[in-house]
Amino acid sequence: LAKTTQPISMDSYEGQEVNITCSHNNIATNDYITWYQQFPSQGPRFIIQGYKTKVTNEVASLFIPADRKSSTLSLPRVSLSDTAVYYCLVAALGSGYALNFGKGTSLLVTP
Amino acid sequence: NAGVTQTPKFQVLKTGQSMTLQCAQDMNHNSMYWYRQDPGMGLRLIYYSASEGTTDKGEVPNGYNVSRLNKREFSLRLESAAPSQTSVYFCASSQTGWRTGELFFGEGSRLTVL
């Protein structure tokens, strides 16, 4: 199972773009990269998932370089409501696997 | 469509008491998970069930047992609660296949052991 490393915390001002990078050096060929967001007192929720290059949805963009050993979650023009913990997961296709979240990155957005 | 439902939402136990956390999902998912979350520790996997009839240990299984009662339900039991088990517990489910990794979480169960 691929181990992931991401910063413990980040700070940003409202309106800025925030990029959170996750390292996963031993990612396997069948692994997908998935990011989750967790607000206080709530369970995590899915944000975005990708395999390679770039994925964009209405919430965020996910950039994955050719070697796939890292990935970057990009949040455009953050607001106070984006203050949350962000988790990077690497998981394979097929049967259910042990999906380990780790400590995530705590993002604080201030005015 | 309720998604993932956990009961109870809050519980206070005394050391040595037992209790079962219930989890049910109505999305016909194959895989189900139990996590605990402590301040500063992120989410840690306790047990998971890849499919009905199977269960496996996660990162922190000691002091817990699980039962995959059927495809919908996955319970977590504390046989003899300890203060170290004070935590917020989250149940999650996912469908296997192409969308692997997308977990759907319940609202959490806050457990305090005195």
Side-chain angles (χ1 to χ4, degrees):
Chain A
L1 198 66
K3 178 180 169 60
T4 61
T5 303
Q6 50 185 124
I8 295 296
S9 64
M10 295 182 68
D11 296 328
S12 178
Y13 292 109
E14 273 190 299
Q16 291 188 326
E17 179 184 73
V18 171
N19 296 309
I20 306 174
T21 297
C22 179
S23 297
H24 27 81
N25 290 321
N26 59 340
I27 189 169
T29 302
N30 290 335
D31 285 344
Y32 276 63
I33 300 153
T34 311
W35 285 80
Y36 286 81
Q37 176 189 55
Q38 184 182 25
F39 297 116
S41 301
Q42 294 184 25
R45 66 167 188 153
F46 173 93
I47 299 178
I48 197 166
Q49 183 180 67
Y51 183 79
K52 61 180 179 181
T53 62
K54 177 183 175 182
V55 179
T56 298
N57 61 22
E58 64 278 6
V59 176
S61 294
L62 178 59
F63 298 92
I64 305 168
D67 66 6
R68 304 202 325 125
K69 293 184 182 300
S70 66
S71 59
T72 298
L73 174 73
S74 181
L75 305 173
R77 298 179 298 281
V78 294
S79 64
L80 299 179
S81 63
D82 291 315
T83 293
V85 178
Y86 293 83
Y87 298 93
C88 165
L89 268 73
V90 175
L93 294 173
S95 301
Y97 283 84
L99 299 174
N100 295 304
F101 275 72
K103 297 183 180 181
T105 298
S106 180
L107 173 65
L108 175 63
V109 181
T110 55
Chain B
N1 188 344
V4 178
T5 303
Q6 293 181 229
T7 56
K9 288 185 171 47
F10 299 94
Q11 183 73 47
V12 178
L13 292 177
K14 295 181 180 178
T15 297
Q17 288 185 318
S18 63
M19 77 158 297
T20 300
L21 298 175
Q22 306 285 356
C23 176
Q25 51 92 8
D26 61 3
M27 296 172 282
N28 201 35
H29 285 169
N30 290 324
S31 303
M32 298 186 73
Y33 308 80
W34 277 106
Y35 290 89
R36 63 176 286 174
Q37 186 167 40
D38 306 302
M41 296 297 294
L43 284 158
R44 293 186 291 171
L45 181 64
I46 304 171
Y47 271 94
Y48 68 104
S49 171
S51 60
E52 184 179 358
T54 69
T55 60
D56 285 285
K57 295 179 180 179
E59 184 183 358
V60 288
N62 292 343
Y64 304 95
N65 288 302
V66 291
S67 295
R68 183 74 183 267
L69 305 171
N70 47 55
K71 191 171 185 179
R72 290 186 65 250
E73 298 172 289
F74 188 38
S75 63
L76 178 72
R77 182 161 179 83
L78 288 69
E79 292 290 351
S80 179
S84 61
Q85 294 177 305
T86 293
S87 188
V88 180
Y89 292 85
F90 289 99
C91 177
S93 70
S94 72
Q95 185 59 290
T96 55
W98 72 274
R99 205 67 191 272
T100 294
E102 183 171 1
L103 294 173
F104 294 83
F105 282 82
E107 294 181 351
S109 298
R110 186 176 296 275
L111 174 65
T112 301
V113 183
L114 303 176

